Amino acid sequence: MGNMFTALDQIFVNVLHWLVSFVPEPWHPFASALLCISFILMVFPAFFSIITIFERKGIGRIQNRYGPNRVGIPFTKIRLCGFGQFVPDGLKMLTKEDIVPRAADKLVHFLAPVVMLIPVLLAYAVLPFGRKMTMTDYDAGLLFFFAIGGAVELAVFMAGWSSRNKYSLLGAMRAIAQMISYEIPLILSAVTVVMVVGSLKLVDIIAAQNHYAYGIAQWNVFTPWGLLGFMLFFIASLAESNRTPFDLPEAESEIIAGYFTEYSGFKFALFFLGEYLGMFAISGLGITLFLGGWTSPVSFLTWIPSYIWFFTKLITIIFVFIWIRATLPRMRMDQLMNFAWKFMLPLALINILVAGIWHFMAVDWQRWIVCSFLVVFSYVILGRGLMRGQKLGKRNYRYAE
Amino acid sequence: MSPALIITAIVTILAAATVMSLRNLVHCALAMAITFSGIAAIYLQLSAEFVGFAEILVYVGAIAILIVFAILLTRSGESPEKSVLTSGWGAGIVVSVLVFTALGWAVLNSAGLPKAATAAPETTVKNIGEALMGKFILPLEIVGLVLTAAMIGAVIIALKEDPKTDNSGRKS
Amino acid sequence: MLGEQIIKGMAVTARNFFESYVSKDRLTTVQYPEERLPQKGNTRQFPFLVYDGDDWEKGLRCVACQICEKECPPKCIYIVKSKDKKPDYKGQPQIYPLRFDIDISVCMSCSICVEVCPFESIKMNTEFELSTADRFGGLLFTKEQLAKPNSYYQKVHPNDAAESDAVIASEKAKAEAKAKAAAEAKAKAAAAAAATAATPVPPATTT
């Protein structure tokens, strides 16, 4: 019984080894890398297409609509609840005319979607999808992830600048300002985990969370600093992946989809794909850092294969992303910046202090009280500071006489 | 020398040459980002992971963006009419060759250079961290202080001088 | 506290999400081809031609007067008059349209043709599923496609049809009364003529 579950858990790893054994010995690393890459290139775009349907259906339900529920298997009456919708969506995108503005910088305009997608796909190289399922286990894996994420900004700038369009450039400026501002709380909230675990290796970070007390997993999110860190990380990752309420760079009502105003057809599809893959990657990192990666939340469910836990958590996080998108309106630029610099950054710094206290205090209930108090107190105080001077309530409109 | 290193080196040098020869400043900045990435790749081939990733994070993610923004905010989009080769380029070549020779001579004759290739030391992130927090704590602190001072200076420059003369037309 | 209102908003949307699966009343969408909303009484899409009786060619009310053709703002109606005549519902001989085409890709559904028609012949249809693969021929409706029986009109627009039927009936009655009066007058004249057959008087003119 136990053997069977272990085999199921390691099925992809074993299949990989089996496939690699067909090629001659010196080619083993190359073949293994190729197979891993094709695994990522197959699984995550497929996941993306399913998630777009989930998003459309979910938002539909939240707005009391059905959402797409028609497209199923062609020439039959089977509708699959509309889950075939991504095929015509994709076909539509790919068959559309590819328009390049006459004044555009042709080469940069062409390269921008590619430059967008490459770092996003590279980021998957370090994510542990399951037990022993990491492509490359870098010593500084976390740093790799953030470094690669920084390159996305360049792609956004290239897209915005090369289009020769006011809206594109405004969108790119907004995007870069936002990404740089939110990268700081993102990285600082991840630093707490590195401090407590003592490693930048993502596999080590999961291993540090993979033990149970009273049958409940010891994930980082179940500590005061981890909860605050996860919240900060989650909010910053919303901003990093340009999701509502931080979707100012692509605000369609203000600047007509921002930096991809001038993109159509396949290039737009690449941007769209890149954005969603970036969202999955950063959610995957959040899961790894705070939600125990591929580990199970309770000890009696550890027999479920590790990759299933990873994808369950990923889908849950993505669902919360969608839920937030359907709930909150878009922020204003000054609100966005105030929130990043006056609330998230100080809170992230305090959280580092809290994590330090947690690390050095004795393992008993006292550290829980001290750390929880610090976290709640700083949250309330900083929250008040952020809200001060803001007139919230009913708005008074002034009309022309 | 491995073929990977040769390819990376060629790409890096070509990109660096492009930075110097293109007219459009934004293209130059983008080519410079390629150069930075190439340098990071060379670091990675030398299994200096931390330095390589820091190179990408700082140079590609921040410095290139900063340069691009500076160009965007200060200049119009038109590329200059003049050729990149100005009148003093002959003298420039002489100077650069002299500097390169001097640097090469200094490097080749430096005492610390091992004559034969030795095994690369095992440098983990942990080693770097311990070195920064132990032996090199004072330089680190000084760098931190300098950066903080720079940030405070930037904030003061960006601050409005007098909130009463706020010309946004809104009464506070 | 910061974030309180966000939690409240999230609760509202979550309730919407789950209740939309439980209660059908929340969903305002209609699953169109299978489910249909009842059409409003005054729905109008594109014109059609009314005919009486069973034979559309014989019963067509249109007399090719071309008023609608002239009044149509986008000029989407095309009529060719016939050379011969055939009796209309009143029994009077009338010319009839040899061709009556409406290009519904041009028609703007203003129903001016309906208002100007003196013969209660052109009316507005409620049919709206008119998509076709042929954008030229498929959207040009000929006389055959336009002709619909009066019973169809009574079905789609009961109130208007009743009014139109009343007009037709009164016209018919008027025509009958007129015919009757004419016949009577004729008879009278004939009688008078018979009575005054001896005396040479100018014959009575029928009105």
Side-chain angles (χ1 to χ4, degrees):
Chain A
M1 195 69 180
N3 270 337
M4 197 191 84
F5 286 126
T6 317
L8 208 61
D9 191 37
Q10 292 300 305
I11 184 162
F12 292 112
V13 179
N14 293 336
V15 165
L16 178 75
H17 286 164
W18 178 69
L19 283 174
V20 165
S21 66
F22 282 101
V23 296
E25 182 70 35
W27 291 88
H28 273 192
F30 182 71
S32 155
L34 207 64
L35 283 169
C36 290
I37 291 168
S38 44
F39 172 79
I40 291 178
L41 286 184
M42 276 190 305
V43 169
F44 283 91
F47 189 63
F48 154 71
S49 50
I50 299 294
I51 284 295
T52 54
I53 302 298
F54 265 111
E55 175 153 23
R56 291 176 63 182
K57 283 181 87 77
I59 288 184
R61 285 291 171 173
I62 286 173
Q63 295 166 352
N64 288 330
R65 294 182 286 115
Y66 285 98
N69 62 351
R70 292 273 157 183
V71 186
I73 300 166
F75 309 115
T76 56
K77 293 262 178 191
I78 305 160
R79 280 195 174 150
L80 307 171
C81 297
F83 276 97
Q85 183 72 39
F86 67 90
V87 180
D89 274 3
L91 284 177
K92 188 199 86 175
M93 285 257 194
L94 300 189
T95 51
K96 269 194 168 179
E97 187 187 354
D98 176 31
I99 300 164
V100 181
R102 194 172 32 184
D105 196 311
K106 303 276 186 311
L107 183 70
V108 181
H109 189 266
F110 172 77
L111 281 179
V114 184
V115 177
M116 172 97 174
L117 202 56
I118 288 173
V120 165
L121 285 173
L122 277 177
Y124 286 95
V126 288
L127 282 185
F129 306 116
R131 191 176 280 119
K132 293 181 197 158
M133 282 169 73
T134 314
M135 308 288 144
T136 48
D137 190 18
Y138 274 132
D139 209 20
L142 190 65
L143 194 66
F144 172 82
F145 192 96
F146 287 132
I148 287 300
V152 173
E153 287 157 27
L154 208 61
V156 168
F157 170 78
M158 284 165 74
W161 178 79
S162 66
S163 297
R164 286 291 172 100
N165 180 321
K166 294 184 199 72
Y167 300 116
S168 298
L169 197 57
L170 275 174
M173 304 267 271
R174 280 185 178 191
I176 293 167
Q178 174 181 320
M179 281 177 170
I180 289 179
S181 304
Y182 279 87
E183 214 157 72
I184 296 162
L186 186 80
I187 294 178
L188 286 183
S189 59
V191 161
T192 53
V193 177
V194 178
M195 279 168 63
V196 171
V197 175
S199 172
L200 281 169
K201 230 176 172 170
L202 294 180
V203 173
D204 288 358
I205 289 173
I206 291 180
Q209 299 176 64
N210 191 14
H211 47 82
Y212 298 88
Y214 312 109
I216 295 172
Q218 297 290 290
W219 294 351
N220 286 334
V221 76
F222 296 143
T223 55
W225 61 269
L227 186 64
L228 185 61
F230 179 65
M231 270 176 56
L232 292 172
F233 188 92
F234 184 77
I235 295 169
S237 65
L238 273 175
E240 282 290 301
S241 48
N242 293 337
R243 298 282 300 183
T244 328
F246 304 106
D247 63 343
L248 290 107
E250 46 204 65
E252 57 286 311
S253 52
E254 301 160 24
I255 51 172
I256 327 174
Y259 53 88
F260 42 69
T261 304
E262 296 291 358
Y263 282 91
S264 57
F266 200 91
K267 287 178 192 161
F268 177 77
L270 282 186
F271 267 117
F272 198 41
L273 180 69
E275 195 156 272
Y276 271 80
L277 290 188
M279 184 170 99
F280 302 154
I282 208 155
S283 309
L285 187 71
I287 290 166
T288 308
L289 290 179
F290 295 101
L291 299 178
W294 42 260
T295 60
S296 118
V298 277
S299 55
F300 62 85
L301 285 177
T302 41
W303 52 269
I304 294 178
S306 51
Y307 46 86
I308 289 183
W309 278 119
F310 180 82
F311 277 96
T312 313
K313 289 173 193 175
L314 190 56
I315 287 173
T316 315
I317 295 239
I318 299 295
F319 182 78
V320 178
F321 270 68
I322 294 169
W323 184 11
I324 287 174
R325 182 184 162 189
T327 308
L328 298 180
R330 188 178 299 134
M331 283 174 116
R332 221 168 48 211
M333 199 66 201
D334 60 326
Q335 294 171 335
L336 183 93
M337 287 296 153
N338 275 347
F339 190 63
W341 293 101
K342 294 186 183 167
F343 181 73
M344 303 246 313
L345 183 61
L347 210 54
L349 290 172
I350 290 168
N351 199 28
I352 289 179
L353 186 74
V354 174
I357 293 172
W358 178 272
H359 191 60
F360 286 112
M361 270 179 88
V363 186
D364 61 358
W365 56 271
Q366 279 167 359
R367 70 174 186 174
W368 275 91
I369 289 181
V370 171
C371 291
S372 307
F373 172 75
L374 268 174
V375 164
V376 173
F377 180 74
S378 51
Y379 178 83
V380 170
I381 292 292
L382 281 169
R384 275 216 187 126
L386 191 71
M387 309 263 275
R388 197 175 52 215
Q390 290 195 359
K391 291 184 199 78
L392 299 174
K394 212 173 171 190
R395 186 184 280 184
N396 285 317
Y397 289 98
R398 285 175 58 222
Y399 298 102
E401 300 294 318
Chain B
M1 271 206 279
S2 66
L5 180 66
I6 294 170
I7 294 169
T8 336
I10 289 172
V11 168
T12 312
I13 290 170
L14 277 183
T18 320
V19 174
M20 292 182 289
S21 52
L22 281 182
R23 280 191 203 168
N24 193 324
L25 276 177
V26 175
H27 285 171
C28 296
L30 294 176
M32 193 141 86
I34 301 176
T35 317
F36 289 146
S37 319
I39 293 169
I42 290 172
Y43 282 137
L44 289 180
Q45 277 167 12
L46 300 170
S47 57
E49 282 173 11
F50 186 83
V51 186
F53 297 152
E55 171 90 18
I56 295 177
L57 184 67
V58 175
Y59 283 87
V60 181
I63 302 277
I65 293 285
L66 190 73
I67 291 172
V68 149
F69 253 67
I71 295 167
L72 216 60
L73 293 175
T74 50
R75 289 186 178 237
S76 58
E78 288 96 49
S79 47
E81 289 296 308
K82 275 188 293 178
S83 166
V84 273
L85 296 175
T86 50
S87 54
W89 67 281
I93 284 184
V94 171
V95 168
S96 59
V97 166
L98 283 178
V99 168
F100 184 78
T101 321
L103 278 177
W105 181 82
V107 167
L108 288 175
N109 288 298
S110 62
L113 195 74
K115 292 295 168 214
T118 51
E122 189 71 17
T123 318
T124 58
V125 182
K126 210 177 172 89
N127 297 141
I128 295 173
E130 272 162 5
L132 277 179
M133 283 294 151
K135 198 174 164 193
F136 299 103
I137 184 75
L138 193 64
L140 186 77
E141 291 292 321
I142 290 171
V143 167
L145 200 67
V146 168
L147 287 178
T148 315
M151 199 168 81
I152 291 171
V155 168
I156 284 173
I157 290 171
L159 265 185
K160 276 186 204 133
E161 286 187 353
D162 190 1
K164 278 171 201 160
T165 56
D166 177 16
N167 57 357
S168 65
R170 212 180 291 162
K171 279 172 194 162
S172 53
Chain C
M1 206 168 72
L2 186 73
E4 227 173 303
Q5 300 297 319
I6 293 177
I7 304 287
K8 272 186 198 167
M10 302 277 281
V12 169
T13 42
R15 214 181 59 219
N16 273 341
F17 181 81
F18 289 112
E19 283 191 13
S20 74
Y21 284 98
V22 180
S23 80
K24 278 257 170 192
D25 302 340
R26 289 191 86 94
L27 295 162
T28 49
T29 326
V30 171
Q31 296 286 295
Y32 157 62
E34 293 92 29
E35 260 177 76
R36 279 152 192 275
L37 287 174
Q39 284 185 325
K40 296 279 187 296
N42 291 330
T43 312
R44 62 179 201 219
Q45 298 295 336
F46 295 111
F48 70 100
L49 296 174
V50 188
Y51 68 84
D52 297 305
D54 299 323
D55 186 7
W56 70 269
E57 263 186 308
K58 222 196 266 160
L60 212 57
R61 289 181 188 171
C62 180
V63 299
C65 65
Q66 291 183 308
I67 295 176
C68 53
E69 189 185 17
K70 291 192 185 86
E71 291 287 338
C72 178
K75 301 284 173 226
C76 67
I77 303 177
Y78 176 69
I79 299 172
V80 175
K81 283 184 178 183
S82 67
K83 295 278 181 292
D84 57 331
K85 293 189 175 187
K86 63 176 187 184
D88 68 351
Y89 63 92
K90 288 185 278 190
Q92 283 177 349
Q94 293 277 19
I95 50 174
Y96 58 95
L98 268 182
R99 282 188 70 177
F100 195 112
D101 296 344
I102 294 179
D103 190 344
I104 61 157
S105 65
V106 175
C107 176
M108 63 184 202
S109 308
C110 63
S111 90
I112 285 177
C113 51
V114 176
E115 281 164 28
V116 298
C117 183
F119 300 97
E120 301 290 333
S121 161
I122 191 162
K123 294 290 172 196
M124 295 308 272
N125 202 349
T126 54
E127 184 66 36
F128 58 92
E129 290 153 316
L130 299 166
S131 61
T132 166
D134 177 12
R135 64 182 167 137
F136 300 111
L139 293 174
L140 185 74
F141 281 13
T142 58
K143 202 166 61 165
E144 289 92 327
Q145 285 160 293
L146 289 169
K148 296 267 177 354
N150 195 24
S151 54
Y152 174 79
Y153 184 40
Q154 282 160 351
K155 202 180 78 200
V156 296
H157 284 146
N159 297 341
D160 293 355
E163 252 172 59
S164 146
D165 284 347
V167 171
I168 294 275
S170 75
E171 287 281 322
K172 228 180 204 168
K174 235 188 252 171
E176 269 166 20
K178 218 178 193 177
K180 215 178 187 177
E184 267 170 22
K186 220 179 197 171
K188 221 187 217 170
T196 59
T199 53
V201 284
T205 49
T206 48
T207 49

